[in-house]
């Protein structure tokens, strides 16, 4: 099994190396794309400011752009708050359903155990055995 293990090890090492190389390449390309998008955004703002300053005064043009950006940011904040509230409600609903399933399971188990007490004894012994196997007693070293 030595040669097989060595072959598998070499295969995994090559796969990890290829994955790391791909990750580095993608990270570098994403960084370049991000720089280009930020530059395009800045030049778009400059173009809008120049266009508005031809029609209005430069101060009003800059104030209009600032107001539009602030309004957009506030809208995005409201959307984020709404999404967080929806996620919170979904999590609460999942938790409630999980608790309901647990309660129904416990109710069904209780009814079965009342009708068949031997199953209750067997279940208690099994749980006790499982709990007992996890704990090992340490000898008292004080004596």
């Amino acid at each position: 099994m030595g040669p097989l293990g060595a072959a598998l090890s070499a295969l995994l090492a090559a796969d990890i190396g290829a994955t790391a190389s791909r990750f580095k390449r993608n990270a570098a390309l994403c960084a370049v794309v991000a720089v280009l998008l930020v530059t395009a955004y800045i030049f778009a703002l400059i173009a809008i400011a120049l266009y508005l300053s031809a029609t209005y005064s430069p101060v009003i043009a800059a104030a209009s752009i600032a107001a539009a950006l602030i309004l957009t940011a506030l809208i995005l904040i409201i959307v984020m708050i709404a999404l967080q509230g929806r996620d919170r409600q979904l999590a609460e609903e999942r938790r409630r359903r999980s608790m309901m399933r647990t309660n129904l399971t416990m109710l069904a188990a209780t009814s079965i155990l009342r009708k068949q007490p031997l199953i209750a004894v067997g279940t208690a012994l099994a749980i006790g055995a499982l709990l007992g196997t996890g704990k090992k007693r340490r000898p008292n070293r004080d004596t």
Side-chain angles (χ1 to χ4, degrees):
M1 188 113 121
L4 180 61
L8 287 175
S9 170
L11 181 64
L12 287 175
D15 189 35
I16 291 172
T19 302
S21 169
R22 213 172 26 247
F23 179 76
K24 288 177 187 175
R25 180 193 66 219
N26 289 342
L29 289 175
C30 284
V32 170
V33 168
V35 167
L36 291 174
L37 286 174
V38 167
T39 305
Y41 177 73
I42 290 170
F43 276 105
L45 286 178
I46 291 171
I48 292 171
L50 290 175
Y51 177 76
L52 289 176
S53 66
T55 307
Y56 305 106
S57 71
V59 174
I60 293 176
S64 300
I65 293 172
L69 292 174
I70 289 172
L71 182 66
T72 304
L74 289 175
I75 290 171
L76 287 175
I77 289 172
I78 291 170
V79 167
M80 282 181 5
I81 290 171
L83 289 175
Q84 286 177 351
R86 184 185 62 113
D87 290 344
R88 198 175 310 121
Q89 286 177 348
L90 289 174
E92 179 65 28
E93 179 68 20
R94 270 189 244 113
R95 188 183 66 77
R96 190 185 62 75
R97 285 183 182 174
S98 175
M99 289 179 67
M100 187 174 63
R101 272 189 242 123
T102 302
N103 289 341
L104 288 174
T105 304
M106 294 298 287
L107 184 65
T110 304
S111 107
I112 289 172
L113 294 177
R114 283 184 187 163
K115 292 178 184 176
Q116 297 178 356
L118 288 177
I119 292 177
V121 172
T123 304
L125 288 173
I127 290 173
L130 287 174
L131 292 176
T133 58
K135 296 180 181 177
K136 294 183 179 180
R137 296 194 180 240
R138 295 182 184 167
N140 190 359
R141 295 183 184 179
D142 292 336
T143 54

